[in-house]
Amino acid sequence: MLGGLTGFNNNSGSDWGEKMLNTVASQSIRHLFSKSESVEVLVRCSPSNKLLQGSIDSFKMSGRGLVIRRQFPVEEMSFETDAVSIDFSSILSGKISLKQPTQAIAQVILSEAGINEAFQAELVTKRLQNLSSDSLSELSGGQPVSFNEVQIQLENGNRIRLFAKADLPDRGSVPIAMLMTLAVERRRRIAFQNPVFQAEAVPESLREISQSLANALTEVLNNMVDLDRFDLDGVTMRINRLETQGKKLLFSGYAQIEHFPKTG
């Protein structure tokens, strides 16, 4: 459904403005990502003279192999707007300026490998280190506790298997294993619900403390994965639903686009 610069056919005399806008929009959107395997943009405007007035019928974007903030891989991202109002003069200077914010239907696909890579990002790991809470202090004798080596496996029914290790000052490294369900709260937060401790994956001598640490880690995760911390420049994402499909995690929702980023 989404096409690139060469994927939209129109009369040569009527699509010049659309092609120019496609080029400028592609450059602007690439600026959102640290890396991008491909970014395709398709703008529709009929009749073409509406573009001179800043009126666009629809704007579609599709990206693949994207990286946000250098450490968060996104396998695919797409969004599509309805009618958009822009300042046509900004296009001539190589920029896109919206006359007013717009919304778009959005879809994001993450891979299991990409999610596990994101758990190694500094923005994530620093929120799992040197933690102190009442529940953790009871387990560690009042010393900070760190969680590391977090790995997830996607399963059907929006479930995941989560493995991690906790560093306790007096016990060393304690393995953790849980089966959990992913859900969406307030359309922006990923919730880790219905945790079930997987005792068979933990040595018997450590199961009691591992289960307590698993409960504490669940609480930490539920306060951590908030989309507002990962917003792109000028774009706010909101989730209506999520779904696991094999080794992929699909999010569908909408994007509030306040402005296009400035190209570098």
Side-chain angles (χ1 to χ4, degrees):
M1 182 174 65
L2 301 179
L5 297 182
T6 60
F8 180 74
N9 296 319
N10 204 339
N11 296 329
S12 60
S14 62
D15 66 349
W16 67 270
E18 291 169 340
K19 288 184 176 180
M20 181 189 300
L21 185 53
N22 284 340
T23 301
V24 174
S26 294
Q27 293 172 349
S28 295
I29 290 173
R30 283 191 177 93
H31 186 71
L32 291 170
F33 307 105
S34 305
K35 295 181 181 178
S36 59
E37 180 181 314
S38 67
V39 173
E40 298 180 338
V41 171
L42 176 60
V43 175
R44 292 188 182 275
C45 181
S46 180
S48 60
N49 59 6
K50 289 199 307 182
L51 184 57
L52 298 175
Q53 302 169 355
S55 179
I56 298 173
D57 294 328
S58 67
F59 177 95
K60 303 177 184 180
M61 169 269 178
S62 177
R64 183 183 300 271
L66 310 171
V67 178
I68 300 173
R69 296 191 178 183
R70 297 182 178 86
Q71 295 180 307
F72 299 96
V74 176
E75 187 153 302
E76 296 181 36
M77 177 185 291
S78 63
F79 60 80
E80 178 178 356
T81 73
D82 292 325
V84 179
S85 179
I86 65 170
D87 179 357
F88 180 74
S89 64
S90 67
I91 302 173
L92 301 178
S93 60
K95 302 177 182 178
I96 297 179
S97 178
L98 297 177
K99 290 184 177 180
Q100 60 188 30
T102 187
Q103 287 190 352
I105 298 172
Q107 178 169 289
V108 176
I109 301 177
L110 306 180
S111 68
E112 180 180 282
I115 295 170
N116 284 322
E117 183 177 339
F119 267 110
Q120 306 308 313
E122 182 181 0
L123 186 64
V124 175
T125 57
K126 70 181 183 181
R127 298 180 63 84
L128 296 172
Q129 303 297 309
N130 299 317
L131 303 178
S132 298
S133 66
D134 292 341
S135 58
L136 287 174
S137 294
E138 292 177 2
L139 301 173
S140 64
Q143 298 298 311
V145 176
S146 295
F147 296 100
N148 53 57
E149 297 184 34
V150 177
Q151 292 282 319
I152 64 101
Q153 295 176 0
L154 298 177
E155 300 201 348
N156 293 332
N158 295 352
R159 295 185 303 172
I160 63 167
R161 291 189 184 274
L162 186 145
F163 303 91
K165 291 184 179 179
D167 290 332
L168 291 182
D170 58 344
R171 301 293 293 269
S173 181
V174 178
I176 297 170
M178 292 183 284
L179 182 64
M180 316 169 81
T181 301
L182 296 178
V184 179
E185 291 183 348
R186 292 181 288 179
R187 299 210 285 185
R188 64 179 175 84
R189 178 175 294 176
I190 308 303
F192 297 79
Q193 299 179 343
N194 308 318
V196 178
F197 180 63
Q198 303 292 284
E200 67 279 4
V202 178
E204 186 174 357
S205 62
L206 296 174
R207 286 176 183 173
E208 183 176 354
I209 192 168
S210 177
Q211 184 168 10
S212 297
L213 288 165
N215 293 334
L217 177 56
T218 301
E219 183 178 349
V220 172
L221 293 173
N222 278 325
N223 290 318
M224 187 175 69
V225 187
D226 192 319
L227 286 185
D228 284 350
R229 296 194 177 98
F230 304 96
D231 279 346
L232 302 170
D233 179 25
V235 181
T236 300
M237 303 289 292
R238 288 293 179 262
I239 303 172
N240 290 332
R241 64 187 297 267
L242 62 79
E243 180 182 3
T244 54
Q245 290 187 3
K247 295 302 180 181
K248 298 182 187 298
L249 180 60
L250 283 65
F251 297 93
S252 58
Y254 72 91
Q256 176 79 11
I257 305 173
E258 298 291 336
H259 63 82
F260 275 82
K262 297 178 181 179
T263 55

